[in-house]
Amino acid sequence: MATVAEQFIEVLRQAGVERVYGVVGDSLNPVVDAIRRTPGIEWAHVRNEEAGAFAAAAEAQITGRLAVCAGSCGPGNTHLIQGLYDAHRSGAPVLALASHIPSPEIGTGFFQETHPERLFTECSGFCEMISTAEQMPRVLRVAVQQALGDGGVSVVVLPGDVAGEQAPNETGHHRFVTRTGTLVPPPEQVEELAAALNTAQKVMLFCGAGVRDAHAEVMELAGRTFAPVGHALRGKEWIQYDNPYDVGMSGLLGYGACYEAMHEADLVVLLGTDFPYPDFLPGRKTVQIDRNPAHLGRRTPIELGVNGDIGATLRAVLPSVRQKSDRRYLDRMLNRHLRTLDQVVEAYTRNIERHVPIHPEYVADVLDELADDDAIFTVDTGMCNVWAARYLTPNGRRRVIGSFWHGSMANALPHAIGAAFAAPGRQVVSLSGDGGLSMLLGELLTVRMHDLPVKVVLFNNSSLGMVKLEMLVDGFPDFGTDSAPVDYAAVAAAMGIPSATVEKPTEVQQALATALATPGPYLLNVITDPDALSMPPRVTQAQVRGFALAAGKVVLNGGVGRMINLARANLRHIPRP
């Protein structure tokens, strides 16, 4: 007869799970031992359970299948929270095993006692405790199916003593449902959508991750309505490629003519996006299409909400959409987009041979050129997000994984670990900031231990660049954002990972080529300009006043030299007439 732990692992195998990320110990031991004795599943040892949850999130996003992480009782499972928030908000199907103290001790203030069934409720769609062996395998199957069906996190709390008990129920066989059905909107919503599209003279399409399987349909709609097509950050990889209507991205990391196109339009159509920044939306003449009805209208007032999958909705409405004849609005936005790219986004990638420290934009641009066509990029929150958003070119095969909704630091390296496990043979590149890398630095040991071919391109500016920008535009002199330089190449080498440091822009191309071509893991420590800041597509008067106020405070405190350096570093961000 199997134990509960053995039954637990057998159910995971039936769900197609190939590994569990975590740190061994304590109440988790029966489960880890069951993994040791079960063919087809492995224990992926990480240095911090937080990294395990991030890795599982990335694996789930790459494969579309269930991924699993685990933490032992008390601190072991509370470490999971950060990565689980990221997974849940990203819609990644992840199961977390939160091991628990011995069941007779629950409620007594026992050593390492927490209440995981309460702790994880906000970062999961399912969170229940298995208190008796009789609840298995049913509760676990419910948890697995909810994660797969809803696209989010399920947490199962399991006391260690219960895990070691004999399972009274047969495991049997169970086939999980891994694909959901297609959601087609009601006919009246399709009719209203067609009428809105036909009435408007200037239509603009703004796309999120919900357009993943609808690229052709979006392009057909754009061609029929002569609509500029912009995107949110999570929509970039699914809609920007093979797109003759592209006007870039909006939001804090945006670029191009997306903002202008959206605000000049007679009708803005939000396609599969829950874009969270209402200040960048026009707040009028908006239609929203989304599979999740709870998303409709929660960011901005809408004149029409359409509940359906993007592909199915557009296939339903396109026969009723008339071909427009006037494309002057589209052509004007495309020209403005081109000028913006040429004057601002591309500014840091030309004539940079003598600029030291290195422009981080240039590094991202060269990496984009050298990386494989099906590379998986993982990007740290902060400035690395900006450089990835502006310089990595999607093609329908590349993937870009980041903590785009939860916005956690330190995600890039553990995400890369999960991606490397999930997609052996594909190039995995972590765009890490030194602030993020240093937070979970021990995961370099995980990369080395498993000999994962992760290439870490470290944007090392000894600063928290995004925080610095936030302070300046809010009128505060930057404080606490800078740190002493660290030789991360030496740190990686001490861990057994090949590495190099680059300080001159003329060496960037060859250094990146070497990093990408080296078998196994590699860390390239690129010393970048700490004063290179990202300007959003629209700068408000309040932000200008805040920046001026902060600059004045810095100068009054004797920091005029710092402001000159900052101005020189970012002069090319200022659009020229």
Side-chain angles (χ1 to χ4, degrees):
M1 183 178 292
T3 65
V4 169
E6 291 167 337
Q7 192 173 61
F8 196 101
I9 299 307
E10 178 57 28
V11 172
L12 295 187
R13 289 295 299 128
Q14 291 179 6
V17 175
E18 297 178 353
R19 65 191 56 82
V20 177
Y21 300 92
V23 180
V24 299
D26 299 329
S27 53
L28 204 55
N29 289 338
V31 174
V32 174
D33 189 63
I35 293 173
R36 178 184 66 83
R37 293 181 283 105
T38 303
I41 190 167
E42 63 179 330
W43 180 260
H45 178 60
V46 294
R47 262 51 188 191
N48 188 307
E49 292 87 355
E50 176 182 342
F54 275 123
E59 178 180 322
Q61 290 176 78
I62 294 297
T63 66
R65 301 192 303 268
L66 184 74
V68 181
C69 57
S72 59
C73 60
N77 60 58
T78 57
H79 279 307
L80 293 169
I81 289 178
Q82 192 75 281
L84 292 184
Y85 261 106
D86 171 75
H88 194 55
R89 303 189 74 183
S90 299
V94 169
L95 176 78
L97 168 59
S99 189
H100 204 1
I101 63 172
S103 53
E105 302 297 340
I106 294 174
T108 69
F110 190 70
F111 175 66
Q112 292 189 326
E113 182 174 7
T114 59
H115 292 88
E117 72 280 5
R118 303 177 195 171
L119 287 169
F120 292 102
T121 54
E122 194 170 303
C123 59
S124 65
F126 178 98
C127 183
E128 297 292 345
M129 182 164 65
I130 296 176
S131 304
T132 67
E134 287 77 11
Q135 293 174 269
M136 280 288 290
R138 184 182 178 188
V139 169
L140 179 57
R141 284 185 173 140
V142 172
V144 169
Q145 190 59 65
Q146 183 149 340
L148 291 170
D150 290 348
V153 170
S154 286
V155 178
V156 173
V157 181
L158 181 63
D161 60 311
V162 176
E165 292 179 8
Q166 296 298 304
N169 301 320
E170 293 292 330
T171 305
H173 181 72
H174 183 84
R175 184 171 179 177
F176 290 97
V177 178
T178 58
R179 294 184 61 186
T180 57
T182 300
L183 181 61
V184 181
E188 61 270 20
Q189 291 182 4
V190 175
E191 292 173 7
E192 289 187 72
L193 176 60
L197 291 167
N198 288 329
T199 302
Q201 292 183 343
K202 294 183 289 186
V203 177
M204 190 270 181
L205 309 180
F206 186 67
C207 303
V211 303
R212 176 171 183 166
D213 298 316
H215 186 278
E217 290 86 350
V218 175
M219 292 301 101
E220 185 175 351
L221 178 61
R224 196 163 303 181
T225 57
F226 291 138
V229 178
H231 58 267
L233 178 56
R234 293 186 68 212
K236 174 185 172 74
E237 61 182 327
W238 306 120
I239 204 63
Q240 192 181 35
Y241 69 95
D242 297 338
N243 181 356
Y245 313 101
D246 177 52
V247 291
M249 188 174 83
S250 192
L252 298 173
L253 314 184
Y255 58 89
C258 182
Y259 180 89
E260 290 81 0
M262 187 180 295
H263 283 74
E264 190 173 321
D266 296 329
L267 181 69
V268 175
V269 184
L270 305 179
L271 295 162
T273 179
D274 191 31
F275 185 71
Y277 301 107
D279 289 346
F280 289 90
L281 298 173
R284 58 177 181 81
K285 299 291 185 181
T286 301
V287 168
Q288 185 174 4
I289 307 171
D290 205 288
R291 179 182 177 87
N292 187 341
H295 291 175
L296 298 174
R298 75 171 180 174
R299 306 299 184 189
T300 186
I302 58 175
E303 297 189 356
L304 174 64
V306 181
N307 182 210
D309 288 321
I310 303 304
T313 300
L314 296 190
R315 286 191 295 272
V317 77
L318 277 167
S320 301
V321 177
R322 296 192 294 268
Q323 176 65 58
K324 295 189 185 299
S325 58
D326 185 352
R327 57 174 293 154
R328 287 177 295 176
Y329 161 63
L330 170 62
D331 290 340
R332 189 168 64 255
M333 291 303 110
L334 291 175
N335 283 319
R336 184 175 297 178
H337 182 59
L338 177 62
R339 290 196 305 271
T340 304
L341 290 179
D342 184 60
Q343 295 175 0
V344 181
V345 176
E346 291 299 315
Y348 268 126
T349 64
R350 296 193 301 262
N351 304 319
I352 47 72
E353 290 80 4
R354 297 182 181 178
H355 185 93
V356 177
I358 299 167
H359 285 310
E361 297 93 329
Y362 176 64
V363 180
D365 190 58
V366 175
L367 176 60
D368 178 57
E369 177 186 336
L370 296 179
D372 289 349
D373 284 344
D374 65 345
I376 300 170
F377 301 96
T378 63
V379 297
D380 260 338
T381 296
M383 286 300 176
C384 285
N385 256 341
V386 181
W387 315 142
R390 295 184 177 180
Y391 295 94
L392 295 183
T393 304
N395 57 15
R397 298 182 299 281
R398 285 178 165 180
R399 294 299 314 273
V400 181
I401 305 293
S403 187
F404 299 140
W405 264 109
H406 189 49
S408 175
M409 287 180 64
N411 65 282
L413 180 57
H415 271 160
I417 289 169
F421 270 117
R426 286 180 69 176
Q427 189 179 76
V428 177
V429 183
S430 171
L431 279 69
S432 297
D434 57 305
L437 182 72
S438 62
M439 289 181 74
L440 287 174
L441 187 62
E443 298 312 317
L444 286 175
L445 292 169
T446 302
V447 170
R448 177 68 277 174
M449 175 183 179
H450 297 288
D451 198 27
L452 298 172
V454 171
K455 316 304 181 187
V456 179
V457 179
L458 179 62
F459 290 73
N460 186 356
N461 61 4
S462 300
S463 176
L464 300 176
M466 185 63 77
V467 179
K468 177 185 289 189
L469 178 61
E470 291 167 352
M471 286 183 167
L472 292 173
V473 298
D474 283 342
F476 302 110
D478 57 295
F479 176 77
T481 58
D482 298 334
S483 58
V486 175
D487 186 351
Y488 287 98
V491 173
M495 296 182 182
I497 296 176
S499 59
T501 294
V502 178
E503 299 186 63
K504 298 179 181 178
T506 52
E507 300 171 351
V508 167
Q509 181 135 358
Q510 183 56 55
L512 282 170
T514 299
L516 295 175
T518 301
Y522 196 98
L523 185 143
L524 183 63
N525 180 36
V526 186
I527 308 303
T528 59
D529 191 345
D531 291 322
L533 302 179
S534 161
M535 299 300 167
R538 174 175 175 265
V539 180
T540 66
Q541 289 297 319
Q543 289 171 332
V544 172
R545 288 193 297 270
F547 199 95
L549 177 61
K553 293 176 181 177
V554 171
V555 170
L556 289 174
N557 284 309
V560 64
R562 290 180 54 224
M563 294 312 301
I564 292 174
N565 290 337
L566 185 67
R568 286 174 176 167
N570 292 283
L571 180 62
R572 297 184 188 183
H573 274 307
I574 309 302
R576 299 187 298 273

